[in-house]
Amino acid sequence: MLVLLFNTVEDALTKLNIIKEQLLNLRERYGIIREKLKINADIEEKLAKLGFQPSHQVITVQAIPHALNIHITPHSMWLLSKLNAIDGNINYVVGEIDKVSKYLSGIKDRNASVMIMIDYTSKKTKLVIMP
């Protein structure tokens, strides 16, 4: 859930545009990673069809105060599905920011405080305008 509080409508419009630009930049970066993972996922799928099962490796690093285990799994398909879910959430939030910005731009009282709650898991958005 994303909860945003703003002192004024103008502040909300400005900061929502900044947040939207950052999310679009993040989506672009994830898109590059997803394209690379698609190649790995295709190779994993072909290897699985041939009967090869990728192995799970654990690297133990001695650290203070205890040992640290790093798990390496060649499961690009799993990671790709996680990135697709994140991409869907980013798309939803960007769409809701567009809707809220459009609504806020039509408000006459520019000194009103604004609270926005965007719940991307249940796909609900609430906008509260406080005089």
Side-chain angles (χ1 to χ4, degrees):
M1 179 180 288
L2 181 64
V3 178
L4 304 167
L5 302 170
F6 303 104
N7 290 330
T8 63
V9 172
E10 292 296 329
D11 187 35
L13 288 171
T14 303
K15 290 184 180 176
L16 283 174
N17 282 331
I18 292 169
I19 292 169
K20 178 183 169 185
E21 290 300 320
Q22 290 175 342
L23 285 172
L24 292 174
N25 188 15
L26 182 65
R27 183 176 66 182
E28 182 180 330
R29 289 183 192 169
Y30 276 155
I32 294 168
I33 294 170
R34 280 185 19 232
E35 290 302 318
K36 291 178 182 178
L37 278 175
K38 282 181 185 178
I39 296 168
N40 291 344
D42 289 342
I43 292 170
E44 280 182 12
E45 185 179 4
K46 289 176 184 176
L47 289 173
K49 286 180 181 177
L50 293 173
F52 175 74
Q53 295 298 322
S55 63
H56 181 95
Q57 298 176 353
V58 179
I59 299 173
T60 303
V61 177
Q62 295 299 325
I64 298 175
H66 49 64
L68 178 68
N69 291 327
I70 300 172
H71 296 267
I72 300 173
T73 57
H75 299 300
S76 297
M77 293 180 77
W78 175 82
L79 186 56
L80 185 62
S81 70
K82 293 295 181 186
L83 285 177
N84 286 336
I86 291 171
D87 186 56
N89 290 340
I90 290 173
N91 289 336
Y92 178 77
V93 171
V94 167
E96 293 301 303
I97 286 175
D98 284 340
K99 289 178 189 176
V100 168
S101 294
K102 185 177 178 181
Y103 183 80
L104 288 177
S105 63
I107 291 180
K108 294 178 184 175
D109 183 15
R110 295 294 185 181
N111 293 325
S113 297
V114 176
M115 180 181 76
I116 304 166
M117 293 178 8
I118 301 174
D119 188 0
Y120 46 83
T121 55
S122 65
K123 305 292 187 213
K124 293 182 181 179
T125 301
K126 294 181 182 180
L127 172 64
V128 179
I129 301 171
M130 301 165 274

